[in-house]
Amino acid sequence: MEKLIITAAICGAEVTKEHNPTVPYTVDEIVSEAEKAYKAGASIIHLHVREDDGTPTQDKNRFKECIDGIKERCKDVIIQPSTGGAVGMTNEERLQPIYLDPEMATLDCGTCNFGGDDIFVNTENTIIEFAEKIYGLGIKPEIEVFDKGMVDMALRLYKKGILKAPLHFNFVLGVNGGIAATPRDLIYLVDSIPDDATYTVTGIGRNEFNMATISIIMGGHVRVGYEDNIYMKKGVLANSNGELVEKVVTLAKELGREIATPDEARKILGIG
């Protein structure tokens, strides 16, 4: 079985210090949390950035500050900026960080209700536009999937030559409005993608570690971090993203999976 790639989604766009006081906002805080996750075993940092007051932003200059700081302290880590940004942002806003020459970037493949009145909009034309710009810059897309229809969209675009092999998916399970976080649903998604594709599994909230465990057993990869979950266990807040990564490393060792280094992750994902 391949070594396990761990992605750390260190802050996201929605979770705040009111939820967990160690959620990072400032450049220094974001860099510090990335370093803790990297030292614990994460090969990929999935990166959103914030203003100092916690407001989510896709500002290219803010991303550059954070990326430069992370690279200085985690020299070989893979940095994967989000092109999802936050609900309500324009396509132009969302795409800004791809112009900083990252190795990877996210590519959301469908529209999803995010609870209440929030709708995360990704039309077919938006997906095609993002894909063409990401590939045009030599960046590896991670295909973000919140429901089965998003897999189908990705595969249609793959058949048209817009998405290119080998595909890499991130299955996000347990979002309010998306596919449920159950073994049945994960198996359904995995069985729907090409044999040469790779996948990461993200369980939201209380689903984080049970979905991680199933992915480890199945041969998939794992994402954890404050974007998705702020607890070590029920009622116990994590002190850092590093603690969340450490828990996955412990699970993997118990289940017989070795942890991939960033260079090993590049090889597995076909980067470079």
Side-chain angles (χ1 to χ4, degrees):
M1 195 175 286
E2 286 179 333
K3 291 186 178 182
L4 178 70
I5 300 169
I6 302 174
T7 299
I10 58 175
C11 68
E14 307 296 335
V15 68
T16 69
K17 289 184 182 293
E18 284 68 40
H19 299 115
N20 183 325
T22 58
V23 170
Y25 292 172
T26 68
V27 172
D28 286 345
E29 288 172 344
I30 287 171
V31 171
S32 176
E33 282 299 306
E35 183 180 27
K36 290 173 186 175
Y38 167 74
K39 286 184 173 179
S43 292
I44 300 174
I45 302 299
H46 171 70
L47 188 62
H48 289 255
V49 299
R50 308 285 193 95
E51 302 293 356
D52 285 352
D53 65 359
T55 303
T57 179
Q58 288 292 101
D59 180 72
K60 181 180 175 182
N61 293 324
R62 187 69 165 190
F63 263 99
K64 186 176 189 306
E65 285 185 87
C66 293
I67 289 171
D68 287 349
I70 293 168
K71 285 183 174 179
E72 185 175 336
R73 287 158 69 172
C74 316
K75 296 192 183 302
D76 62 341
V77 78
I78 299 166
I79 300 175
Q80 179 199 84
S82 168
T83 66
V87 170
M89 289 182 175
T90 67
N91 289 359
E92 290 74 22
E93 284 180 280
R94 290 169 55 185
L95 282 168
Q96 288 182 79
I98 69 171
Y99 299 108
L100 294 170
D101 195 30
E103 294 177 90
M104 296 184 77
T106 59
L107 175 63
D108 295 278
C109 272
T111 295
C112 186
N113 289 327
F114 271 3
D117 293 322
D118 287 341
I119 303 172
F120 182 38
V121 178
N122 293 281
T123 67
E124 183 175 13
N125 287 340
T126 290
I127 298 163
I128 292 169
E129 176 192 355
F130 280 37
E132 289 176 343
K133 289 181 176 178
I134 288 169
Y135 280 115
L137 292 168
I139 300 166
K140 172 83 174 185
E142 178 179 79
I143 300 165
E144 305 296 295
V145 167
F146 297 86
D147 217 337
K148 171 59 165 58
M150 298 185 191
V151 175
D152 298 333
M153 172 64 78
L155 295 181
R156 284 196 297 273
L157 297 181
Y158 173 55
K159 288 178 182 177
K160 291 180 179 181
I162 295 167
L163 299 184
K164 307 177 191 305
L167 301 175
H168 177 64
F169 293 85
N170 177 32
F171 298 136
V172 184
L173 298 99
V175 167
N176 182 7
I179 198 166
T182 71
R184 177 202 64 182
D185 291 307
L186 176 56
I187 291 167
Y188 181 42
L189 294 175
V190 172
D191 285 347
S192 301
I193 63 176
D195 289 341
D196 64 347
T198 52
Y199 66 92
T200 289
V201 175
T202 301
I204 300 299
R206 66 180 182 273
N207 303 299
E208 184 164 73
F209 293 112
N210 57 2
M211 287 294 102
T213 301
I214 296 167
S215 185
I216 292 166
I217 293 168
M218 290 177 63
H221 305 287
V222 171
R223 183 176 110 175
V224 293
Y226 282 162
E227 178 172 352
D228 311 313
N229 165 56
I230 56 174
Y231 292 96
M232 292 297 291
K233 60 182 179 180
K234 186 175 180 178
V236 179
L237 289 171
N239 290 315
S240 71
N241 282 277
E243 282 195 341
L244 297 171
V245 173
E246 285 170 0
K247 187 166 179 175
V248 174
V249 170
T250 298
L251 288 169
K253 287 179 178 178
E254 290 294 324
L255 294 167
R257 287 282 297 275
E258 294 184 60
I259 307 302
T261 66
D263 283 342
E264 288 169 336
R266 290 180 175 92
K267 184 175 181 181
I268 291 166
L269 298 173
I271 296 173

